[in-house]
Amino acid sequence: MKKVILVTGASSGIGKATALQLIEEGHTVYGLARRVENMQDLIAAGGKAMSMDVTVHNQVKAVISEILKKEQRIDVLVNNAGFAVYGAIEDVSYDDAKRQFEVNMFGLAEVTKAVLPTMRSQQSGKIINISSVGGKIYSPLGAWYHATKHALEGWSDCLRIEVKQFGIDVVIVEPGAIKTEFGEVMAENFARSEHSVYAPLAHNMMNAVKSTYETKGQSSPPTVIADVISKAVKSPKPKTRYSAGKMAAQTLFFRKWFSDRFFDKTIMNMISKRA
Ligand code: NDP
């Protein structure tokens, strides 16, 4: 059945791959991001693109109501827009930490709140939140990013049991390492700790991130996550969580079954091996 689907962060990476796949599958897809110029391929493929910054709440409301005027319904929201702030806790300013939460958590919450009344009145809908394996695990110098994704995991679980009564499904997707602009943005972040006592760790992390995202075979293409999202869209009873992509299964396995101390050692070893 043809669905009306909104994908945030559709100007790049996972969001773009997802929007293109869902257009190909015959849905009415709105790509939403700040860089509309980077969504021309969605329009060429038969989709729609609108400028939306998830942190500008009035804009979020206006965009959703414009879509509703045209479509009269919203079946699926893919909350994908996000980025990573990296750097030692001592080196990241509160302004940067707050910006991280504004995009990855409060922006996502605002888009969700803007579509919920419609989904409630339809008595149907799916909200697919792109978390990360980083919503379950942790890495050094990633405190603020992991804080947003761990928060998103708990927030999504609460939302799921609140809105089930209205026929709305909430799905969490936990990607592993996926080759997108994300790795480049993340690697630039370590400059924050370049001249601090954390410089050696920042140097190792930067090299590990570069090796993960730049070495062939160390990260998966974004279509791997687009496939999972498409599966959740199609399923009459989607799983509460999906994980996919390079390193996702291994890291989640270690986190689930081994102690904190063991995981600490494992993650630090992985970083120094790749540095
Ligand atoms: P990209 O950097 O390629 O894409 C990020 C997208 O988010 C862009 O389309 C960008 O659009 C959008 N975005 C960022 N800030 C805002 C904002 N304020 N308002 C609206 N849109 C915004 O990264 P990915 O595709 O990799 O990331 C997508 C999601 O996947 C993120 O939530 C990320 O945390 C998650 N993830 C990624 C992993 C990876 O290895 N790549 C691993 C685990 C999770 P624009 O700049 O045009 O606004």
Side-chain angles (χ1 to χ4, degrees), residues 3 59 164 203 213 230 266:
K3 294 185 163 80
Q59 195 185 23
K164 188 177 185 312
H203 180 78
Y213 287 97
S230 157
T266 308

Side-chain angles (χ1 to χ4, degrees), residues 166-228:
F166 304 114
I168 303 167
D169 289 311
V170 177
V171 174
I172 299 167
V173 177
E174 296 162 339
I178 309 297
K179 183 139 184 62
T180 64
E181 290 177 10
F182 180 86
E184 291 154 40
V185 176
M186 187 178 170
E188 283 163 13
N189 273 256
F190 295 110
R192 283 195 184 88
S193 293
E194 210 170 37
H195 302 295
S196 80
V197 295
Y198 301 96
L201 189 52
H203 180 78
N204 282 355
M205 274 296 283
M206 190 176 69
N207 287 341
V209 166
K210 281 192 175 157
S211 135
T212 301
Y213 287 97
E214 286 169 16
T215 314
K216 203 164 180 269
Q218 297 299 317
S219 55
S220 305
T223 46
V224 164
I225 304 302
D227 282 341
V228 161

Side-chain angles (χ1 to χ4, degrees), residues 32 50-52 58-68:
L32 308 170
M50 289 175 78
S51 170
M52 190 182 86
N58 285 342
Q59 195 185 23
V60 169
K61 287 189 187 86
V63 166
I64 302 299
S65 79
E66 204 180 318
I67 295 172
L68 273 172

Side-chain angles (χ1 to χ4, degrees), residues 7-17 32-39 51-56 59-60 79-84 99-100 102-104 107-108 111 129-135 145 148-149 152 173-186 212-213 219-220 222 225 244 246:
V7 181
T8 70
S11 62
S12 164
I14 294 171
K16 180 179 285 231
L32 308 170
R34 293 166 302 177
R35 293 170 296 171
V36 183
E37 69 279 11
N38 287 12
M39 296 190 284
S51 170
M52 190 182 86
D53 182 333
V54 296
T55 67
V56 182
Q59 195 185 23
V60 169
N79 273 318
N80 162 77
F83 77 111
R99 175 78 191 160
Q100 177 75 113
E102 286 300 337
V103 176
N104 290 12
L108 177 147
V111 187
N129 290 337
I130 311 307
S131 173
S132 169
V133 292
Y145 177 66
T148 62
K149 294 298 186 178
L152 178 58
V173 177
E174 296 162 339
I178 309 297
K179 183 139 184 62
T180 64
E181 290 177 10
F182 180 86
E184 291 154 40
V185 176
M186 187 178 170
T212 301
Y213 287 97
S219 55
S220 305
I225 304 302
K246 210 79 186 173

